[in-house]
């Protein structure tokens, strides 16, 4: 067997890097191989020599020089314990500045239009002259009559707007001229749940809208 | 299980004392950090010296290792500090060597050796110089494996952990490194005769 095969194992054996069984195998080979035995002996001597050379301690001033350089380098930077509070303060300042910029760049708020409060929503019941067919059946709560005429008011729920639509559609027939000429002021009286509150809705029909 | 070498590095004083020192250093106590450096300076500078081959480069590397230690104090604990320092020392030395390569190929070794003074060939000083030079004949990985195993006394598994390699790879690197060193010394000796 070529000893080249054993070289690596002999090198490990010389440094004590083989397990017991493997080391025993190398030892058996060494007893019968003078070349490998000599190699093992040389390797041991060199390793011992290398350890002796490097066993000599370095002078203390070399260590001190390194420490001095490191501490000098650290002295240029903020102390470790103060790094985080400083970073937090900086982060907070940046965040505050960002919020301030957003607030300042936001357009001035448009004053909200004060809308009148909707008291009741219901289309007026129509009474067009004598054409009673166009008259929308007055909601039970809504009395319709000419101005000054007491409206008939019944206490009931307000009709839904949707219910008015077919009626309005039916009323889409051209307004008779007589009706147009007769454009009285109408009044819708809306009752509320509060008997002390009555809403009057005055309007004038021109005839173009039905 | 830790080798005696690694355990000895970490057992410089009581575990409580080491923890307190590390905590104080984390809090920004420069005196505590100075103590931490003193505790590990032999490990760092000696390893860097063996890897770099000269004191100036070793001191530069050691400075960088301790600055990295300072920046990473939050992530470290006393239990793995020595292994971390070995790993960073090896990496810093590798980085420095890549920036400034100075490895002498093994084939050039006879020329290098021939430059020596013949009168010192039998002397102890020459033998020391020869052994020191023999480390420079190795590749970076082989040198790191050999230094950590044979000079720092780490186990093969610990060397593998430091170098981020498998145990098998480290064993191969160590055996090749020993054979190359022996080959270098033998070729130099033949040339002297």
């Amino acid at each position: 067997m070529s000893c080249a095969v054993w070289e690596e194992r002999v090198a490990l054996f010389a440094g004590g890097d083989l397990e017991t069984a493997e080391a025993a195998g190398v030892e058996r080979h060494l007893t019968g191989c003078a070349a490998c035995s000599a190699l093992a002996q040389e390797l041991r001597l060199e390793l011992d020599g290398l350890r002796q050379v490097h066993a000599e301690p370095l002078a203390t001033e070399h260590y001190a020089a390194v420490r001095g350089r490191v501490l000098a380098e650290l002295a240029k930077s903020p102390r470790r314990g103060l790094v985080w509070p400083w970073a937090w303060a900086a982060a907070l300042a940046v965040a505050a500045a960002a919020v301030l910029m957003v607030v300042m760049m936001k357009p001035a708020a448009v004053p909200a239009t004060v809308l009148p409060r909707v008291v009741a929503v219901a289309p007026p019941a129509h009474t067009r002259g004598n054409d009673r067919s166009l008259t929308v059946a007055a909601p039970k709560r809504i009395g319709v009559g000419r101005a000054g005429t007491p409206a008939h008011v019944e206490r009931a729920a307000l009709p839904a707007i949707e219910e008015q639509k077919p009626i309005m559609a039916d009323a889409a027939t051209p307004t008779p001229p007589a009706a147009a000429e007769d454009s009285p002021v109408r009044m819708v009286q809306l009752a509320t749940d509060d008997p002390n509150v009555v809403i009057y809705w005055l309007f004038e029909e021109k005839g173009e809208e039905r | 299980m830790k080798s005696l070498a690694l355990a000895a590095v970490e057992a410089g004083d009581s575990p409580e004392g080491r923890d307190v020192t590390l905590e104080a250093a984390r809090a920004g106590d420069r005196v505590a950090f100075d103590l931490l450096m003193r505790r590990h300076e032999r490990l760092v500078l000696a390893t860097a010296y063996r890897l770099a081959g000269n004191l100036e480069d070793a001191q530069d590397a050691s400075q960088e290792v301790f600055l990295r230690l300072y920046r990473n104090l939050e992530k470290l604990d006393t239990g793995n500090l020595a292994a971390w320092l070995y790993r960073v020392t090896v990496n810093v030395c590798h980085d420095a060597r890549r920036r400034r390569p100075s490895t002498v190929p093994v084939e050039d070794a006879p020329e290098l050796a021939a430059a020596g003074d013949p009168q010192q060939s039998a002397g102890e000083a020459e033998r020391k110089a020869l052994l020191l030079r023999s480390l420079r004949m190795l590749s970076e990985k082989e040198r790191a494996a050999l230094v950590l195993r044979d000079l720092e006394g780490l186990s093969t598994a610990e060397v593998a952990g430091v170098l981020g390699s498998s145990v098998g790879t480290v064993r191969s690197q160590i055996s090749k490194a020993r054979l190359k060193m022996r080959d270098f010394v033998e070729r130099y000796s033949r040339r002297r005769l």
Side-chain angles (χ1 to χ4, degrees):
Chain A
M1 181 185 283
S2 166
C3 284
V5 176
W6 287 92
E7 267 190 352
E8 284 199 10
R9 269 177 283 181
V10 170
L12 290 172
F13 175 80
D17 293 299
L18 293 180
E19 299 295 330
T20 312
E22 215 176 351
V26 174
E27 277 181 5
R28 278 196 300 274
H29 172 74
L30 293 183
T31 54
C33 179
C36 285
S37 185
L39 173 65
Q41 184 63 22
E42 287 170 19
L43 285 167
R44 282 198 198 98
L45 287 172
E46 279 164 22
L47 281 177
D48 287 344
L50 193 66
R51 286 178 186 131
Q52 283 174 11
V53 168
H54 285 280
E56 292 175 10
L58 293 168
T60 53
E61 59 258 32
H62 299 317
Y63 296 112
V66 172
R67 272 186 274 117
R69 285 161 60 176
V70 172
L71 292 174
E73 195 68 31
L74 294 181
K76 295 176 188 171
S77 58
R79 293 179 76 86
R80 185 176 185 83
L82 301 176
V83 167
W84 287 110
W86 181 86
W88 275 108
L92 284 175
V94 169
V99 169
L100 196 62
M101 281 185 64
V102 169
V103 169
M104 290 177 68
M105 293 177 69
K106 189 178 177 181
V110 178
T113 305
V114 179
L115 296 174
R117 184 180 174 197
V118 175
V119 176
V121 178
H126 296 275
T127 300
R128 196 169 290 282
N130 294 325
D131 186 2
R132 306 306 293 181
S133 66
L134 294 177
T135 302
V136 175
K140 290 180 179 177
R141 294 183 64 186
I142 301 174
V144 179
R146 291 180 183 278
T149 304
H152 172 69
V153 176
E154 287 184 26
R155 302 232 170 241
L158 284 170
I161 294 174
E162 287 74 20
E163 292 173 10
Q164 303 288 329
K165 286 180 180 174
I167 300 171
M168 299 298 282
D170 291 343
T173 50
T175 304
E181 289 166 5
D182 180 19
S183 55
V185 174
R186 309 284 184 186
M187 184 189 73
V188 174
Q189 184 182 3
L190 302 174
T192 67
D193 289 337
D194 187 345
N196 297 321
V197 178
V198 178
I199 301 166
Y200 291 100
W201 181 9
L202 299 175
F203 63 95
E204 187 177 359
E205 279 195 70
K206 293 294 185 183
E208 62 276 345
E209 275 189 45
R210 295 297 296 270
Chain B
M1 187 176 174
K2 283 178 182 167
S3 67
L4 287 177
L6 207 55
V9 168
E10 291 170 356
D13 49 11
S14 68
E16 295 79 13
R18 279 182 273 136
D19 288 342
V20 168
T21 305
L22 191 60
E23 278 303 315
R26 281 181 186 143
D29 187 338
R30 293 277 164 81
V31 176
F33 187 70
D34 184 56
L35 184 61
L36 209 56
M37 283 197 291
R38 287 173 188 268
R39 197 171 285 157
H40 294 95
E41 62 189 0
R42 194 222 62 82
L43 180 161
V44 174
L45 185 59
T47 304
Y49 178 56
R50 290 160 178 171
L51 292 172
N54 68 79
L55 194 56
E56 188 184 350
D57 289 350
Q59 285 181 318
D60 288 346
S62 299
Q63 180 184 348
E64 176 60 23
V65 170
F66 284 126
L67 289 174
R68 289 190 191 186
L69 171 64
Y70 186 79
R71 289 195 290 266
N72 289 280
L73 280 173
E74 300 291 338
K75 305 174 190 172
L76 298 169
D77 58 55
T78 50
N80 63 6
L81 190 51
W84 187 88
L85 286 169
Y86 274 127
R87 179 161 52 249
V88 175
T89 303
V90 169
N91 289 340
V92 168
C93 288
H94 282 187
D95 291 345
R97 192 167 281 270
R98 280 187 203 107
R99 286 196 299 271
R100 189 172 47 186
S102 60
T103 303
V104 181
V106 174
E107 291 72 23
D108 296 341
E111 294 177 18
L112 181 73
D117 182 357
Q119 297 303 316
Q120 295 181 343
S121 60
E124 189 64 21
E126 186 189 25
R127 179 171 170 75
K128 284 182 182 177
L130 184 61
L131 289 167
L132 287 171
R133 276 180 189 167
S134 66
L135 269 183
R136 295 171 57 191
M137 303 299 116
L138 307 176
S139 72
E140 283 182 19
K141 288 182 178 178
E142 288 166 350
R143 182 167 48 245
L146 188 107
V147 164
L148 293 175
R149 174 72 189 100
D150 289 334
L151 300 179
E152 291 297 311
L154 303 190
S155 69
T156 310
E158 287 168 344
V159 175
V162 168
L163 299 181
S165 305
S166 67
V167 172
T169 302
V170 169
R171 278 163 57 100
S172 174
Q173 288 166 343
I174 289 172
S175 64
K176 283 178 183 170
R178 288 173 184 161
L179 290 170
K180 279 185 182 177
M181 284 183 60
R182 177 255 181 192
D183 187 50
F184 171 76
V185 172
E186 188 185 28
R187 283 202 282 176
Y188 176 82
S189 300
R190 280 184 195 158
R191 196 172 180 88
R192 300 305 308 158
L193 293 174

